Amino acid sequence: MELYKQQQLKLYNSLSNKKEDFKPLIEGFIGMYVCGPTVYSNVHLGNVRTFMSFDLIYRYFKHLGYKVRYVRNITDVGHLENDADTGEDRIAKKARLEQIEPMEVVQRYTVDFHNVLNKFNFLPPSIEPTATGHIIEQIEIIKVIIDKGLAYEVNGSVYFDVLKYNEKEHYGILSRRNIEDSIHNTRELDGQSEKKNPQDFALWKKAQPEHIMRWLSPWSDGFPGWHLECTAMSTKYLGKQFDIHGGGMDLKFPHHECEIAQANASNQQMPVNYWMHTNMLTLNGQKMAKSTGNYILPNDFFTGDSKHLSKVYVPPVVRFFMLQANYRSILDFSDDALLASEKGYYRLMNAVNLLDNLTASKSSTFDVKTWKQNCYDAMNDDFNSPVLIAQLFEGVKFINSVRDGNESLTQEDLSAFKTTINTFVFDVLGLEDATVDDSSDKLSGIVEMLIEMRNEARANKDWTLSDKIRDKLLERGIQLKDGKDGTTFSVN
RNA sequence: GGCGUUGUGGCCGAGUGGCUAGGCUGGGCUCUGCAAAAGCUCCUACAGCGGUUCGAAUCCGCUCGACGCCUCCA
């Protein structure tokens, strides 16, 4: 029987602001759409956090036995710098500044995005569509919305008529806004606007003569608006109605609100059952953002070359750090917090690695079944990875005690225990073991030899030599551990 | 100004009406040639002020602070 039939999952739905029992439209299948990056620059760590949250969610769904179609787009056109008519397309601007083709910009940062995600051990989505690959679909949606009378054309550009839509529907249903409020609080534009109302948003923009990203449409040579691509691609691959739509908290308004309006306008139904929003990663208490310069790049961890970092960190440590916070909480980044996570991470890994060396006993002193369900309960409660990790540390303590002979497990319990811990650590949390690498076989042979030499020195009470071997190894990241049954080591 | 979120011990971070979060750090003990590792143990907090309740960090109100969105942002 599939695991999802045994585990009742609750997830927090931004649409209702409540935790709800999760029930997919079609039993056993999940359609999930996540707003991907706009590839006009390198992804920063805040971007990574969002996608990591959904990687965790995707992994857990898969573990539960769901067939998941996970769609995460690449925005490669249409994302304007601001909503004023003077706003420039981010990618076109970057191309202009660097004097290269827009598609070179797109290619460069798409590759960077994939490289970064691979380093952090992300599972690839099922489909990763691009906005430029779905111009026709976007044009078709615009036609439908115009036919419904909810969009209008001005000088070759097409805008969504928010006020008109709001007459029969609620624009602001997701972000809990009233259109009246935003009318009163909208900053005055410079009076040049083609839009009937400042709240209206572009479905299609006519390209200026110098603009190099342009496509033919019934209205003009131009390009699609930012919000539209997600509606086009989610509808195409997941249907008019699907289970989950996710993205960063900052996309809730206006991006997701606009998506709802467009989809609702063209398909006559609410597109998404569960909206999920991940919270921000902050640096110095402020949101990480390219525009303010307050950010840290993933690559900084691997070089250690940043004023925010005291040393080099391996990717799983960063991953572990992020998973120690719930995806809906703001997480503040600091070197101290990362150092603490690093220690915890290695403690966890060292215990996992001990598992294979444990010997079974006639009886168990640990309730494996309850502990295992505790792990599931944590994840079933809106993907509460911090609580899961707390449970895993209960396991760590227990493993170490078994090793020391203070606790015991039957063969059956031992294998259940092993399976559970490996499943959650590697499959669900997606943590890689940084204590092993390709050269581990040769390395351990050499370290075993040094341990032997040190033991000889210790037997001769030659503490100078024995301590030298131990300390020199530690300097190189190899830690010797003297236990009852001899010396073991770990590579940190 | 509007909408929303939030304020937890030295630090990071769960929880949310009575019952241990967890990690890191610091103190003590065991083990050890000494350490480290590991185990045990101690340090026991919920911004402030009122209210509801037998009982609130947890619910309600107010105050103060922080953050996010309201223009692009994961």
Side-chain angles (χ1 to χ4, degrees):
Chain A
M1 187 163 75
E2 288 85 356
L3 273 172
Y4 64 76
K5 289 179 178 161
Q6 300 159 29
Q7 306 292 341
Q8 179 55 58
L9 180 63
K10 276 182 183 297
L11 54 81
Y12 187 88
N13 190 350
S14 302
L15 200 56
S16 63
N17 269 178
K18 284 195 196 97
K19 276 184 196 167
E20 298 176 2
D21 283 342
F22 176 67
K23 197 169 181 301
L25 287 164
I26 302 166
E27 194 195 303
F29 292 84
I30 295 175
M32 176 163 88
Y33 187 92
V34 172
C35 291
T38 301
V39 282
Y40 71 104
S41 65
N42 301 295
V43 283
H44 65 245
L45 199 64
N47 304 124
V48 172
R49 186 192 181 199
T50 292
F51 301 123
M52 190 180 293
S53 299
F54 287 106
D55 189 56
L56 172 76
I57 289 165
Y58 179 44
R59 283 168 176 276
Y60 190 56
F61 280 144
K62 284 180 65 134
H63 170 66
L64 290 183
Y66 284 111
K67 300 256 189 303
V68 190
R69 182 177 290 170
Y70 173 25
V71 181
R72 186 184 65 208
N73 70 292
I74 296 278
T75 296
D76 56 357
V77 68
H79 199 155
L80 303 183
E81 291 223 287
N82 58 59
D83 202 33
D85 293 336
T86 51
E88 191 172 5
D89 182 286
R90 286 169 177 274
I91 286 154
K93 181 182 180 186
K94 185 82 174 185
R96 179 171 59 76
L97 291 175
E98 303 210 351
Q99 298 195 310
I100 55 178
E101 277 290 319
M103 278 300 148
E104 284 184 87
V105 173
V106 167
Q107 176 71 11
R108 179 187 298 170
Y109 295 113
T110 300
V111 168
D112 172 74
F113 176 62
H114 288 148
N115 283 160
V116 166
L117 265 45
N118 283 149
K119 280 212 166 100
F120 288 109
N121 195 215
F122 280 57
L123 296 177
S126 327
I127 302 177
E128 194 169 46
T130 60
T132 54
H134 298 76
I135 302 289
I136 291 168
E137 288 83 350
Q138 297 183 70
I139 289 173
E140 289 307 311
I141 292 175
I142 297 172
K143 285 182 185 165
V144 174
I145 298 175
I146 291 176
D147 283 348
K148 299 251 159 85
L150 292 169
Y152 55 90
E153 185 198 337
V154 182
N155 300 329
S157 292
V158 181
Y159 297 96
F160 189 90
D161 193 337
V162 171
L163 288 185
K164 185 86 178 288
Y165 172 80
N166 196 244
E167 287 172 10
K168 289 192 176 140
E169 304 285 343
H170 179 192
Y171 179 80
I173 190 171
L174 178 66
S175 53
R176 288 174 184 69
R177 281 160 209 257
N178 292 316
I179 190 92
E180 290 78 18
D181 292 338
S182 47
I183 289 170
H184 294 136
N185 290 302
T186 302
R187 195 185 54 186
E188 284 298 314
L189 294 174
D190 54 14
Q192 303 278 33
S193 179
E194 297 172 336
K195 296 192 278 190
K196 286 201 227 168
N197 303 291
Q199 288 71 33
D200 294 349
F201 55 90
L203 297 175
W204 188 264
K205 291 286 279 184
K206 180 182 180 177
Q208 298 305 308
E210 69 276 13
H211 202 298
I212 35 184
M213 300 184 81
R214 56 204 304 146
W215 289 265
L216 209 55
S217 83
W219 312 285
S220 66
D221 252 21
F223 55 95
W226 173 41
H227 313 300
L228 191 59
E229 49 166 313
C230 290
T231 300
M233 294 185 277
S234 62
T235 307
K236 174 160 183 171
Y237 299 112
L238 299 172
K240 291 179 178 177
Q241 197 172 33
F242 54 97
D243 298 298
I244 296 172
H245 189 130
M249 201 79 105
D250 49 357
L251 295 183
K252 203 170 178 182
F253 187 92
H255 185 56
H256 291 156
E257 206 68 74
C258 295
E259 274 191 65
I260 291 177
Q262 289 164 349
N264 199 188
S266 60
N267 297 330
Q268 306 293 309
Q269 60 182 317
M270 291 291 276
V272 176
N273 281 159
Y274 303 91
W275 283 90
M276 297 186 77
H277 291 97
T278 59
N279 218 137
M280 300 293 101
L281 181 68
T282 59
L283 180 61
N284 301 316
Q286 303 286 128
K287 179 185 171 183
M288 252 183 225
K290 274 288 165 67
S291 50
T292 57
N294 187 240
Y295 63 89
I296 185 163
L297 293 177
N299 211 40
D300 295 345
F301 292 101
F302 317 140
T303 62
D305 187 19
S306 164
K307 63 180 175 182
H308 303 293
L309 300 174
S310 63
K311 61 186 283 294
V312 169
Y313 294 92
V314 296
V317 166
V318 180
R319 188 167 175 116
F320 184 72
F321 162 74
M322 290 190 180
L323 294 174
Q324 272 186 302
N326 185 261
Y327 78 90
R328 284 195 294 122
S329 300
I330 291 169
L331 174 62
D332 191 52
F333 176 84
S334 70
D335 193 62
D336 283 347
L338 200 57
L339 280 169
S341 290
E342 182 178 53
K343 290 209 173 185
Y345 165 79
Y346 281 113
R347 191 162 156 246
L348 175 63
M349 282 305 147
N350 289 154
V352 169
N353 288 329
L354 266 178
L355 274 171
D356 288 332
N357 303 324
L358 295 185
T359 47
S361 307
K362 288 186 291 292
S363 64
S364 288
T365 55
F366 189 72
D367 186 349
V368 175
K369 211 173 167 186
T370 301
W371 169 76
K372 180 179 171 181
Q373 188 54 45
N374 288 344
C375 292
Y376 278 100
D377 287 347
M379 286 303 287
N380 290 340
D381 183 17
D382 196 30
F383 311 96
N384 200 329
S385 53
V387 170
L388 169 63
I389 288 170
Q391 288 299 331
L392 294 177
F393 274 106
E394 295 298 324
V396 166
K397 197 187 275 189
F398 181 69
I399 291 168
N400 287 324
S401 291
V402 172
R403 190 265 322 267
D404 292 344
N406 297 324
E407 304 274 2
S408 64
L409 277 176
T410 62
Q411 187 57 54
E412 191 188 352
D413 278 352
L414 179 60
S415 67
F417 191 87
K418 263 189 212 175
T419 306
T420 303
I421 216 156
N422 281 316
T423 296
F424 280 103
V425 170
F426 299 114
D427 299 346
V428 175
L429 294 178
L431 295 170
E432 288 176 305
D433 189 352
T435 63
V436 294
D437 59 44
D438 295 341
S439 59
S440 62
D441 278 353
K442 279 182 189 167
L443 184 69
S444 50
I446 292 165
V447 176
E448 294 296 350
M449 184 182 80
L450 286 165
I451 288 173
E452 207 171 296
M453 290 168 74
R454 174 166 168 266
N455 283 149
E456 281 170 26
R458 292 172 78 197
N460 297 329
K461 297 199 193 298
D462 183 354
W463 311 129
T464 315
L465 178 58
S466 68
D467 289 356
K468 187 177 176 186
I469 292 171
R470 177 222 285 160
D471 297 342
K472 290 287 176 188
L473 282 170
L474 187 62
E475 278 175 26
R476 286 157 179 78
I478 295 165
Q479 184 174 43
L480 300 188
K481 300 170 182 179
D482 296 329
K484 278 182 188 163
D485 305 322
T487 303
T488 56
F489 72 96
S490 66
V491 186
N492 288 357

